[in-house]
Every structure is written in structure tokens, then in C-alpha cells.
Amino acid sequence: MNIGQAAKHTGLSAKMIRYYESIDLLPRAGRSESGYRQYNANDLHRLAFIKRARDLGFSLEEVGRLLALWQDKQRASADVKALAEGHIAELSRKIAEMSALRDTLVELANSCQGDSRPDCPILQGLEEGVSCGVPGCSSHRQP
């Protein structure tokens, strides 16, 4: 099947499929006599694996490691589990960071009257560098 059909079948764009080839997540596709990429069932299976891993938030580097583990029938499941647990820890860190950001914005929005007056605690908080409890987030006050 050609790249357009493969894209439709996998839910990926043709551009993304070409990109996965360019970074060696997907082997180079065979070519038809007219030069069009041709994909087989194994390619589609690999693309589906990549898509599911990406949908779960794995980085491209992690997807590469997962693919290598998937292909290695002598692998230890502990290696796969360690990779998944590392990803879970990163997701948990990001969730905590996003929760802290949300809480800060809720606090700023709740302090705003939302009326016709020009006073705006949200803008004042942004101007003053309100702390949000996230590493790298402003916690200093400007004069």
C-alpha cells in the first residue's frame, strides 16, 4: 500500500510516516517501479505500535527503546517495566507541575472582581512575578 493508504490505515499523517522513516523508527519503505513508497503489513504493525506509544506520551527516544525491546525476543520484561515506570514518574512530575500552575491561576482568578474597574489582580500577579510552586516559575517580586 502507498503512503496515503498507510496514513489512512494508521491514523498518522504521511508527513509523520516520512519523519519516522527519517529518524529510523521505521525502516525505509520499499519503492514501486514509479518510485512511490510501499508499505506492508509489518510496516503498518510497527506504525500502529509507534502511534500507541506516542499516544501514551512516550518521547521519540523512548519509542526507539521500546521498539528495540519489542523486537528483542530475548529481552527481560524488567527492562520494559523500568522504561514504563520512568515514563510514569515523568508524567507524575508533569501532572504535579500542571496542578500547581492551575492552582496559581485559580487563586489569581478568584482574587479578580471581574467588573468594570481597571484593577486586575491577575495582571498584578503576573507583573509582580507571583510564585506558582513550580521550579523555574517566577517567585520574585519586582518593584
Side-chain angles (χ1 to χ4, degrees):
M1 91 178 34
N2 67 34
I3 196 167
Q5 293 165 324
K8 187 173 182 178
H9 185 78
T10 61
L12 295 166
S13 68
K15 183 177 181 178
M16 191 58 62
I17 293 171
R18 284 190 295 274
Y19 178 66
Y20 290 156
E21 281 184 45
S22 76
I23 62 171
D24 296 324
L25 286 182
L26 183 66
R28 299 275 180 218
R31 299 285 181 148
S32 68
E33 287 182 21
S34 56
Y36 291 104
R37 288 178 169 88
Q38 293 293 303
Y39 298 92
N40 60 35
N42 288 336
D43 296 327
L44 297 179
H45 192 58
R46 188 176 182 99
L47 285 167
F49 182 97
I50 294 168
K51 183 174 187 321
R52 285 190 294 272
R54 293 292 288 155
D55 287 348
L56 288 171
F58 284 99
S59 69
L60 291 173
E61 181 182 326
E62 291 168 325
V63 171
R65 283 189 259 151
L66 285 167
L67 283 166
L69 290 166
W70 182 47
Q71 297 297 310
D72 179 5
K73 300 304 178 196
Q74 303 301 312
R75 71 182 172 271
S77 64
D79 295 336
V80 182
K81 184 174 182 175
L83 185 59
E85 287 177 336
H87 184 59
I88 292 166
E90 179 64 13
L91 288 173
S92 295
R93 183 194 65 74
K94 288 179 180 179
I95 290 167
E97 187 176 293
M98 295 297 288
S99 292
L101 293 172
R102 181 203 58 226
D103 293 348
T104 299
L105 284 172
V106 166
E107 184 179 318
L108 287 170
N110 287 341
S111 67
C112 181
Q113 296 298 315
D115 55 20
S116 61
R117 295 181 308 172
D119 282 353
C120 183
I122 298 168
L123 295 176
Q124 183 179 354
L126 292 171
E127 177 185 2
E128 293 176 356
V130 65
S131 177
C132 66
V134 174
C137 183
S138 297
S139 59
H140 62 283
R141 301 272 179 197
Q142 298 282 335

